[in-house]
Amino acid sequence: MNHILVVDDEREIADVIELYLKNDQYEVLKFYTGEEALACIESTKIDLALLDVMLPDIDGFTILKKIREKYHFPVIMLTAKTEYIDKITGLTLGADDYIAKPFNPLELVARVKAQIRRYTKYNDGGRTENDVIDFGSLFLDRNSHECVFNEKELTLTPIEFDILWLLCENRGKVISSEELFENVWHEKYYKNSNNTVMVHIRHLREKMSGPMGKSDFIKTVWGVGYKVEE
């Protein structure tokens, strides 16, 4: 069970965060002051911290600096402020993510899961960032052939995995059917090869679809090819 440190002097917000995290089977260590949080960090194994910037005794940036002197676990900053400088300050000091209040508790839980997953995968020995694609709601691991989308593990064929990897590796860029076919199948592209690509893209979309219908994660650029947005 992962231990999540929650530090926020707004008790209602801290209580809501605690409720949602506990519903996902996280062990929550909740504090309303920075001093209590720092004492906990010294005595307890922490897997991720959620830090409010504005606290009554020590601000969240100071706590973050103290954490980064000794620890590498993920830190997500929480703040009611929306000034760009606050975000830059937090990320510069070593924060892994930044969520502005008010926020959707379900989005917060999803961000927590993504940060823990990323930290675990990058620190399990031998794995590098070149082996992993992790952005938004998607996680791909080339070594284990693991694919997680919207917190759901997908079973992909090797061809489907390679298509998705190529599109994500080039996210923001349109990849033509010809380029997809020749890079994934390692064969020369012919006219009928486009049908093969279309069928596999359709299968991928079906596997990535939610309860409301097909996923639009992979976008079609008509007459050009396919792309995944950044």
Side-chain angles (χ1 to χ4, degrees):
M1 183 177 291
N2 294 116
H3 292 75
I4 311 298
L5 176 69
V6 176
V7 191
D8 197 316
D9 65 326
E10 295 184 70
R11 293 173 181 259
E12 289 185 1
I13 292 178
D15 292 346
V16 168
I17 294 173
E18 179 184 34
L19 176 63
Y20 276 82
L21 289 174
K22 282 190 171 182
N23 283 343
D24 264 272
Q25 308 305 310
Y26 291 109
E27 182 72 28
V28 178
L29 304 161
K30 181 179 63 175
F31 300 98
Y32 306 119
T33 68
E35 288 288 356
E36 293 175 309
L38 287 173
C40 175
I41 291 168
E42 291 296 326
S43 62
T44 310
K45 178 184 178 295
I46 304 296
D47 296 292
L48 180 141
L50 290 161
L51 300 181
D52 186 23
V53 170
M54 301 300 293
L55 293 168
D57 53 351
I58 306 174
D59 67 79
F61 295 138
T62 300
I63 298 174
L64 174 61
K65 284 194 289 186
K66 289 183 177 295
I67 288 173
R68 285 294 174 251
E69 289 174 2
K70 295 174 63 177
Y71 306 102
H72 302 287
F73 55 77
V75 176
I76 299 176
M77 303 301 295
L78 305 174
T79 180
K81 293 185 176 181
T82 56
E83 286 88 345
Y84 189 69
I85 189 64
D86 283 340
K87 182 174 182 179
I88 294 298
T89 301
L91 296 176
T92 301
L93 292 174
D96 297 274
D97 202 354
Y98 196 96
I99 301 178
K101 300 175 184 177
F103 50 80
N104 183 326
L106 293 176
E107 179 188 354
L108 182 141
V109 172
R111 299 270 197 102
V112 167
K113 289 181 179 178
Q115 289 296 334
I116 289 179
R117 184 179 65 229
R118 180 180 294 116
Y119 181 73
T120 302
K121 292 298 180 183
Y122 287 168
N123 290 276
D124 69 346
R127 186 178 273 107
T128 68
E129 291 192 21
N130 292 329
D131 301 319
V132 170
I133 289 177
D134 190 350
F135 77 100
S137 55
L138 179 73
F139 174 82
L140 292 174
D141 185 329
R142 188 155 52 183
N143 287 337
S144 64
H145 206 266
E146 180 183 3
C147 174
V148 178
F149 183 66
N150 285 335
E151 302 304 328
K152 177 184 176 184
E153 189 163 348
L154 306 182
T155 302
L156 303 184
T157 67
I159 291 293
E160 290 167 350
F161 187 93
D162 288 348
I163 290 173
L164 191 56
W165 182 277
L166 181 64
L167 290 172
C168 291
E169 198 173 36
N170 294 277
R171 54 188 178 273
K173 174 185 174 184
V174 180
I175 305 296
S176 67
S177 293
E178 180 176 354
E179 187 176 352
L180 263 175
F181 187 83
E182 293 187 350
N183 277 276
V184 172
W185 277 266
H186 305 291
E187 298 176 13
K188 185 172 177 56
Y189 180 86
Y190 295 100
K191 184 176 181 180
N192 290 337
S193 301
N194 185 51
N195 293 332
T196 301
V197 173
M198 288 176 62
V199 168
H200 281 80
I201 292 288
R202 187 178 76 243
H203 289 165
L204 258 176
R205 283 173 169 158
E206 289 171 352
K207 291 183 178 182
M208 300 177 79
S209 66
M212 301 303 292
K214 289 187 177 180
S215 168
D216 62 351
F217 187 83
I218 301 173
K219 301 185 184 300
T220 299
V221 181
W222 295 107
V224 184
Y226 305 93
K227 72 173 181 176
V228 166
E229 298 285 4
E230 290 193 80

